[in-house]
Amino acid sequence: MLRALILAGGYGTRIKEHTDTIPKPLVKANDIPLFIHIINLYKIYGVKNVTILAGFKIESFYKYCEKNFLTVDKIQHQYLINNEVNIDILDTGLGTMTGGRILQALDVYKDKEYFLTYGDGVSDVNIKNLYSYHSSKNSVATVTAVRPPARFGSLNIENGKVTKFAEKHHTSEGWINGGFFVIKDEVKNYIENNNNTIFEKEPLEKLAEFGELSAYEHNGFWQPVDTIRDLERLEEALIKNG
């Protein structure tokens, strides 16, 4: 199975209650860091090699892995979880944008294809089906399309009175980028060779323009963590879903 790359180098400024001291992927949901929830999903589908594309407070990743996992190579920052999953922590720089982080990983590993996602979004997406879909489309990249989660209560108003209050129904919304990509090595041809390139801007726009970006529609669970309320929603969902 492919190597999974997890983007985990940003500042996490919208949840500073936690990220003043640790990177956002190390924020815990029900006592388990977000990036471990993500790794556990990949592990279900046989993904045995994971690379954390780190930057901001990278030392926190080193400390966590050294404390909780077997250290395979302290100099190269390689660790092993339960003799099952190999974790590399790759220092992609403090101010590097997502495109630059991805390019650095492609230069290091030189594989033909990779899984790629963000370190702050937890889902139950079927990784096997995602990869099969990607392979059938023969595109350079596939993104998992999800419905945006409800953030605000919706109001039905008549004559100045609220007649119904409810959370927005996610199926009434459009599709958004949910992460959980599959990318081919050729994606580097769409990323300008510097650390300032934001993957979600020109690279993905170009891929879409040239018909090289497929969308795998996921109607199941997906929860990003941008705010404290998002974290609470995730924790509630994890308890509910066991």
Side-chain angles (χ1 to χ4, degrees):
M1 191 55 78
L2 310 182
R3 174 178 295 275
L5 308 176
I6 300 179
L7 289 159
Y11 291 98
T13 54
R14 286 179 288 184
I15 191 169
K16 286 188 72 65
E17 298 92 335
H18 290 285
T19 56
D20 274 345
T21 56
I22 58 173
K24 187 163 48 164
L26 274 168
V27 171
K28 292 183 178 180
N30 298 340
D31 296 323
I32 299 174
L34 296 175
F35 87 103
I36 297 298
H37 283 291
I38 296 166
I39 289 173
N40 286 340
L41 172 69
Y42 280 117
K43 183 176 71 174
I44 291 171
Y45 295 97
V47 176
K48 302 297 185 183
N49 295 291
V50 176
T51 297
I52 310 300
L53 307 184
F56 177 65
K57 296 188 181 297
I58 191 171
E59 297 82 7
S60 298
F61 283 110
Y62 301 154
K63 290 178 182 178
Y64 181 87
C65 290
E66 287 170 12
K67 179 180 178 180
N68 293 279
F69 309 134
L70 176 67
T71 300
V72 176
D73 188 324
K74 190 169 184 176
I75 302 300
Q76 297 298 322
H77 305 294
Q78 297 174 339
Y79 308 91
L80 180 63
I81 305 178
N82 298 328
N83 290 318
E84 291 183 283
V85 180
N86 299 288
I87 297 181
D88 293 1
I89 301 174
L90 185 64
D91 187 353
T92 54
L94 186 59
T96 306
M97 297 293 103
T98 48
R101 297 188 197 281
I102 293 166
L103 273 186
Q104 289 187 43
L106 299 188
D107 286 343
V108 169
Y109 296 105
K110 304 186 186 303
D111 295 340
K112 292 183 178 180
E113 291 181 307
Y114 304 83
F115 292 117
L116 167 72
T117 196
Y118 304 105
D120 61 356
V122 179
S123 180
D124 64 357
V125 60
N126 187 308
I127 298 298
K128 180 180 177 181
N129 290 349
L130 165 63
Y131 183 65
S132 295
Y133 181 86
H134 168 77
S135 298
S136 72
K137 294 298 181 181
N138 197 34
S139 52
V140 171
T142 297
V143 59
T144 296
V146 299
R147 303 289 192 178
R151 291 188 182 273
F152 307 100
S154 64
L155 307 178
N156 289 356
I157 302 174
E158 294 180 10
N159 299 320
K161 297 286 186 177
V162 176
T163 59
K164 184 179 180 182
F165 180 94
E167 286 197 335
K168 292 186 297 184
H169 195 275
H170 80 281
T171 56
S172 67
E173 303 294 324
W175 296 96
I176 63 171
N177 168 14
F180 294 96
F181 296 86
V182 185
I183 59 172
K184 293 182 179 179
D185 179 67
E186 296 97 288
V187 77
K188 65 188 178 186
N189 298 327
Y190 295 81
I191 303 174
E192 190 172 348
N193 191 20
N194 63 60
N195 287 338
N196 298 318
T197 302
I198 299 172
F199 184 59
E200 297 76 13
K201 292 190 175 179
E202 190 171 324
L204 285 181
E205 290 169 0
K206 281 184 177 180
L207 285 163
E209 180 183 348
F210 290 106
E212 291 291 350
L213 180 62
S214 297
Y216 176 76
E217 296 179 1
H218 174 61
N219 283 295
F221 175 72
W222 177 78
Q223 179 63 57
V225 177
D226 288 322
T227 65
I228 291 296
R229 180 59 185 132
D230 288 339
L231 181 60
E232 292 170 349
R233 288 180 188 276
L234 174 58
E235 292 183 321
E236 291 164 2
L238 291 172
I239 291 171
K240 180 179 178 181
N241 297 328

